Amino acid sequence: MTLATRRTLLLAVPVTWAGLWTTPLAEMAPELKVVVQGRDEYDPVSIDYVLGFRPQPGLLKTLPNNRAVFSLGAGVDGFLSDPEYPRQVPLVRFVDHQLSREMAQFCAMHTLIFHRQQRMFDALQRESKWRQSVPPRKTEDTRVGVLGIGEIGTLVAERLREHDFQMAGWSRTRKTIDGVESFAGADELQAFLARSDILICLLPLTDDTRHVLNAKTFAMLPSGAFVINVARGGHLVEPDLIAAIDSGHLAGATLDVFETEPLPDSSPLWAHPKITVTPHVAAISDPRVMAKVAVDGIKRMESGKPLENVVDFARGY
Ligand code: NDP
Ligand code: OXD
């Protein structure tokens, strides 16, 4: 990178992880000065750019010359939950095909584990029992619904379509995706849920989508439906999910994200026999790619080009 002025980037991540990004940043942009929040002394006035994930609330408003914020996550709720986020500073979310591919793989895996009754066979194996059984419903008769059919949701739907599931997606605006039925807006949510035997949540967490997975929406799903939440814990009312499973209405769930992370030891989700818990690992982004996205963004900004994947503060994603 050749910069007319030496620029300074504040890396707002846990100090012990900082090396994951400082090393590739130094290789890709040796002229960029990188300071690590909580480790290095810095003058707030000197900060030109920020790269981070869930920075401490109030931090960004202390940086009067900050030109842009680059999110290390696809979801930017960790920035927008800061009531003092300076709205004149563009926020760039992380968009990467490798990330979408990993998300699609995780969603396909958990859809198929449920559909092919793998948990039942795991239990039978533990008891040395040989019992042949086929999925209760044919794949082509099984309806999968993706809540949030954006960058990641679209690839998830396309990959599951290849397995012959009947696919649909729900979004704010209408979509045209081959072999994926489109439902749009609040008015079509009920019809979308009523046809979703397996529901995958891939929405951004906003004021409109918080707690969208609740007792009322679960009741709209067909009996025996399965829920996969890989978006944010704030989408789900956890006690409502447990109640819907324990009542027999829902067959179970896979949860990768939680209202409180790490999931507390005391959470009933850990030991629930019909819930699979994973520790926010549906996709682990590559720090080198994240560093490159930030460096490319800085280059664009420095050469007067518009930034890509900028968050719309009014929409909240
Ligand atoms: P996008 O912004 O590309 O897509 C969001 C989708 O949600 C769009 O289709 C959008 O509709 C839809 N949407 C937003 N608000 C509403 C609403 N009120 N009603 C109906 N539809 C709505 O996001 P990504 O696909 O990149 O990421 C989705 C989320 O996945 C992230 O925000 C993050 O929380 C989560 N994530 C989790 C990871 C993990 O490891 N577990 C990793 C990466 C992401 P429209 O298209 O009409 O705008
Ligand atoms: C996320 C991510 O937003 O890992 O969760 O990208």
Side-chain angles (χ1 to χ4, degrees):
M1 171 157 58
T2 320
L3 300 175
T5 321
R6 184 161 161 82
R7 297 295 188 188
T8 302
L9 177 136
L10 176 65
L11 183 61
V13 295
V15 169
T16 47
W17 295 358
L20 291 172
W21 294 281
T22 51
T23 306
L25 284 168
E27 277 169 33
M28 290 173 201
E31 298 170 42
L32 188 68
K33 180 174 174 193
V34 177
V35 292
V36 178
Q37 160 75 11
R39 188 191 75 182
D40 302 326
E41 291 273 311
Y42 65 91
D43 179 355
V45 170
S46 69
I47 302 300
D48 302 296
Y49 297 102
V50 173
L51 174 63
F53 190 60
R54 299 181 176 158
Q56 121 207 7
L59 169 72
L60 297 168
K61 74 147 193 218
T62 66
L63 311 173
N65 297 319
N66 185 21
R67 295 158 63 88
V69 175
F70 297 93
S71 167
L72 289 170
V76 290
D77 45 290
F79 293 91
L80 299 183
S81 59
D82 178 353
E84 297 180 293
Y85 184 100
R87 298 285 168 128
Q88 74 284 5
V89 179
L91 171 60
V92 176
R93 70 189 203 89
F94 183 63
V95 175
D96 172 46
H97 190 66
Q98 166 76 22
L99 170 84
S100 300
R101 277 201 332 241
E102 284 190 21
M103 293 295 283
Q105 191 179 61
F106 183 94
C107 293
M109 173 173 74
H110 285 274
T111 298
L112 291 168
I113 284 174
F114 169 67
H115 178 61
R116 298 299 304 261
Q117 305 173 286
Q118 185 56 43
R119 297 294 184 221
M120 179 187 79
F121 292 115
D122 292 343
L124 287 169
Q125 181 179 355
R126 282 194 291 274
E127 295 173 30
S128 309
K129 282 200 176 130
W130 182 275
R131 191 196 300 154
Q132 289 177 325
S133 148
V134 291
R137 196 187 280 121
K138 283 186 175 164
T139 312
E140 52 273 30
D141 296 334
T142 303
R143 301 159 299 174
V144 180
V146 182
L147 277 170
I149 191 114
E151 287 289 337
I152 300 170
T154 300
L155 193 65
V156 167
E158 288 172 347
R159 293 281 160 98
L160 281 168
R161 185 190 62 200
E162 297 309 310
H163 286 275
D164 300 323
F165 291 104
Q166 280 184 37
M167 296 305 305
W170 184 68
S171 42
R172 253 177 359 97
T173 55
R174 181 88 49 213
K175 306 286 171 200
T176 310
I177 307 170
D178 239 18
V180 182
E181 193 180 353
S182 171
F183 292 80
D187 290 350
E188 297 182 13
L189 179 60
Q190 184 160 2
F192 166 81
L193 293 171
R195 54 74 62 213
S196 295
D197 300 308
I198 298 172
L199 180 71
I200 302 175
C201 181
L202 269 163
L203 288 163
L205 184 61
T206 67
D207 289 347
D208 290 338
T209 66
R210 183 175 301 280
H211 291 162
V212 64
L213 302 173
N214 60 46
K216 218 169 125 195
T217 47
F218 292 145
M220 293 173 189
L221 291 169
S223 176
F226 188 80
V227 172
I228 299 175
N229 186 20
V230 280
R232 284 290 180 265
H235 289 119
L236 173 67
V237 182
E238 290 174 1
D240 288 6
L241 175 73
I242 293 173
I245 294 174
D246 290 348
S247 74
H249 178 58
L250 294 185
T254 291
L255 307 177
D256 183 56
V257 285
F258 303 90
E259 194 97 60
T260 306
E261 293 183 7
L263 184 63
D265 292 351
S266 58
S267 170
L269 298 170
W270 281 117
H272 197 290
K274 294 186 173 166
I275 296 177
T276 296
V277 167
T278 55
H280 201 145
V281 289
I284 301 286
S285 304
D286 181 344
R288 289 194 70 80
V289 178
M290 294 165 156
K292 181 161 184 336
V293 166
V295 169
D296 287 350
I298 293 171
K299 283 185 188 164
R300 289 185 75 84
M301 191 121 193
E302 294 292 325
S303 57
K305 291 193 190 134
L307 288 169
E308 292 170 325
N309 302 311
V310 174
V311 170
D312 177 337
F313 291 116
R315 287 189 327 186
Y317 66 99

